């Protein structure tokens, strides 16, 4: 019997990240300040170390992965590429379905792929403390883990509702030595302002980002770290697609379709961009490759948003980025895929989508859980609610292959396991999960408040 797991050796962990900025059809639009002038590296240095700023602005195709980072990656990388043979059989599809399983990291998702290098570059720059925000807790636990590995103190502002509803994610962060506060907190101006208006404020990702940025900007020994959206995070995540390419080489296959969930866009860019790089280089195998970003219908930044300059956070602290956005003060419905509740999307993903080089689809919540349960019952792994979005789209494509008889090779990013999300499965089984329609009016209201550049 052939194995369904395609594995790599530790020495095959990539030595360089891929940066798609080198292969864009036109240069990336720069981040701007509200007066319309480009944000400078000096301004970013209040919260980021020099190496991260350099990566953020880099148009070099290949960026070296530090040896110390590769050594930590060995704890869980290379991650397996798995042929979902039992799912194929259950669907009766001629398609070959593969998933890259990122749930093998200690934090249970792809996010440590960027948390580890971010902690490394900050320690190299003499930084002692990191602040960040977390919603559902995936990014917070990843940065808590990475901070611990490099001897950095980590302070996490966790959206208050999650802090109360997800005690196990919080305990994970505390086990790795991080301090965790419910946001809005009394520790920052921003937090105190929101609490004065409403002591019962349940918090939001936007408020938590503002608190973490405020603290980092105000202390010389402290920097801020972000878990998605920015160019350097997308570059770090390219390790997923680079490994997958080596794994496909081993079995002499190449994907026709690459599919990933899309919140801020780093897990999508991470798996898809190395293949799009082949396409840009004229590789015949990649000629007809399609890459599909999957988002929730309740927060459809790519499929329904506007391509324009907007802030990255709710308070307007960050520079403005040119991206698909639903408006920076858009508050998405409380779907269980917390990692997909972001108003915007990576500038790189946005530009490629605008140029028609990638595709996007939006899927409703219930259909994603249905797909996730079908996946768990055939492949064993219980997926994170975010990952269920990619599974939904992959199953839909596999069923389309059944109709047409095409034996396509489909690759999707299984970004994490759902072991800390079992209460959402409980609600799904109890029939109390909802589908949320596209919130036309709320989006119109927040788009009306887009910043005016210059
Ligand atoms: C954060 C998260 C996502 C979304 O990732 P982006 O890179 O922001 O698009 C997807 N899946 C899991 C499991 C996550 O934790």
């Amino acid at each position: 019997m052939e194995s369904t797991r395609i594995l790599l050796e530790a020495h095959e962990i990539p030595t360089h990240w891929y940066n798609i900025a080198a292969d864009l059809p036109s240069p990336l639009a720069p981040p701007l300040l509200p007066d319309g002038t480009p944000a400078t590296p000096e301004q970013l240095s209040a919260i980021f170390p020099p190496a991260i700023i350099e990566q953020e602005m880099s148009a070099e195709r290949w960026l070296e992965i530090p040896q110390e980072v590769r050594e930590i990656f060995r704890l869980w990388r290379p991650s397996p590429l798995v042929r979902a043979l039992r799912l194929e059989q259950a669907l009766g599809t001629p398609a070959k379905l593969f998933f890259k399983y990122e749930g093998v990291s200690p934090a249970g998702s792809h996010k440590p792929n960027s948390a580890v290098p971010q902690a490394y570059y900050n320690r190299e720059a003499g930084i002692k403390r990191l602040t960040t925000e977390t919603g559902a807790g995936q990014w917070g636990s990843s940065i808590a883990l990475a901070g611990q590995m490099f001897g950095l103190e980590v302070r996490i502002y966790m959206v208050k509702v999650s802090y109360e509803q997800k005690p196990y994610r919080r305990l994970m962060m505390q086990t790795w030595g991080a301090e965790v506060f419910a946001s809005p907190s009394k520790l920052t101006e921003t937090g105190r302002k929101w609490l004065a208006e409403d002591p019962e404020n349940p918090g939001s990702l936007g408020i938590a980002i503002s608190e973490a940025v405020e603290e980092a900007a105000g202390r010389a020994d402290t920097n801020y770290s972000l878990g998605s959206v920015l160019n350097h995070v997308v570059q770090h995540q390219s390790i997923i697609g680079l490994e997958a390419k080596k794994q496909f080489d081993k079995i002499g296959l190449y994907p026709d379709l690459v599919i990933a969930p899309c919140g801020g866009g780093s897990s999508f860019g991470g798996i898809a961009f190395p293949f799009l790089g082949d396409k840009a280089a004229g590789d015949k195998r990649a000629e007809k490759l399609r890459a599909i970003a999957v988002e929730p219908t309740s927060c459809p930044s790519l499929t329904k948003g506007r391509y324009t300059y907007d802030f990255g956070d709710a308070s307007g602290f960050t520079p403005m980025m040119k991206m698909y956005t639903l408006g920076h003060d858009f508050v998405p419905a409380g779907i269980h895929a917390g990692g997909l509740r972001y108003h915007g999307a990576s500038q790189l993903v946005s530009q490629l989508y605008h140029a028609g080089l990638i595709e996007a689809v939006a899927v409703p919540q219930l259909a994603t859980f249905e797909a996730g349960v079908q996946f768990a019952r055939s492949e064993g792994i219980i997926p994170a609610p975010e990952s269920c979005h990619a599974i939904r789209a992959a199953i839909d494509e596999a069923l389309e292959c059944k109709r047409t008889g095409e034996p396509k090779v489909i690759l999707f990013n299984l970004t994490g396991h759902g072991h800390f999300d079992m209460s959402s499965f409980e609600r799904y089984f109890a029939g109390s999960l909802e589908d949320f329609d596209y919130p036309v009016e709320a989006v119109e209201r927040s788009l009306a408040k887009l910043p005016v550049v210059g």
Side-chain angles (χ1 to χ4, degrees), residues 307-335:
Y307 188 47
T308 184
Y309 272 99
D310 196 7
F311 295 112
D313 67 321
S315 306
F317 279 176
T318 70
M320 294 181 289
M321 293 175 289
K322 191 159 185 199
M323 60 180 177
Y324 278 88
T325 178
L326 298 166
H328 59 277
D329 68 358
F330 174 71
V331 180
I335 55 165

Side-chain angles (χ1 to χ4, degrees), residues 109-111 138 228 261-268 339-340 384 386-387 415-416:
S109 77
H110 67 287
K111 288 194 169 77
Q138 287 275 19
S228 187
C262 189
S266 75
S267 65
F268 169 75
L340 306 184
E386 293 86 356
S387 312
T415 48

Side-chain angles (χ1 to χ4, degrees), residues 61-271:
R61 186 170 290 110
W62 298 104
L63 306 166
E64 192 172 356
I65 307 179
Q67 190 53 31
E68 236 181 296
V69 170
R70 291 180 73 227
E71 267 158 33
I72 290 176
F73 281 165
R74 278 197 312 195
L75 292 176
W76 73 92
R77 304 209 73 85
S79 70
L81 177 73
V82 185
R83 170 108 183 247
L85 204 53
R86 291 174 52 85
L87 179 60
E88 287 170 22
Q89 284 158 358
L91 296 170
T93 177
K96 292 189 172 71
L97 279 166
F98 289 86
F99 60 90
K100 181 77 168 152
Y101 186 38
E102 291 296 313
V104 292
S105 80
S109 77
H110 67 287
K111 288 194 169 77
N113 297 337
S114 184
V116 171
Q118 289 193 44
Y120 167 82
Y121 289 123
N122 276 291
R123 193 216 48 199
E124 287 298 283
I127 289 296
K128 306 281 183 247
R129 300 174 70 248
L130 288 176
T131 61
T132 196
E133 73 291 332
T134 198
Q138 287 275 19
W139 174 245
S141 40
S142 302
I143 205 77
L145 165 78
Q148 182 57 235
M149 304 241 148
F150 291 104
L152 299 173
E153 279 176 42
V154 172
R155 178 174 284 183
I156 296 160
Y157 292 93
M158 184 171 189
V159 177
K160 195 197 274 166
V161 273
S162 305
Y163 184 92
E164 285 159 3
Q165 286 170 4
K166 303 224 167 185
Y168 296 132
R169 275 273 168 207
R170 166 164 56 79
L171 279 158
M172 246 175 133
M173 299 180 229
Q174 289 165 336
T175 303
W176 281 317
E179 288 180 295
V180 188
F181 294 97
S183 165
S185 76
K186 292 200 178 112
L187 301 170
T188 64
E189 277 301 317
T190 310
R192 287 190 290 271
K193 190 187 99 208
W194 288 98
L195 287 175
E197 276 173 29
D198 175 12
E200 303 304 315
N201 189 310
S204 74
L205 214 44
I207 296 173
I209 296 179
S210 305
E211 286 204 273
V213 170
E214 180 190 317
E215 180 177 336
R219 280 185 66 155
D221 65 347
T222 304
N223 269 345
Y224 168 72
S225 67
L226 189 67
S228 187
V229 184
L230 297 179
N231 302 340
H232 63 274
V233 186
V234 180
Q235 293 155 6
H236 298 160
Q237 294 296 351
S238 70
I239 197 161
I240 305 172
L242 293 167
E243 282 182 7
K245 272 179 31 169
K246 292 192 190 192
Q247 285 159 314
F248 275 115
D249 278 347
K250 289 209 168 185
I251 51 172
L253 286 177
Y254 198 90
D256 299 297
L257 277 169
V258 182
I259 298 172
C262 189
S266 75
S267 65
F268 169 75
I271 195 164

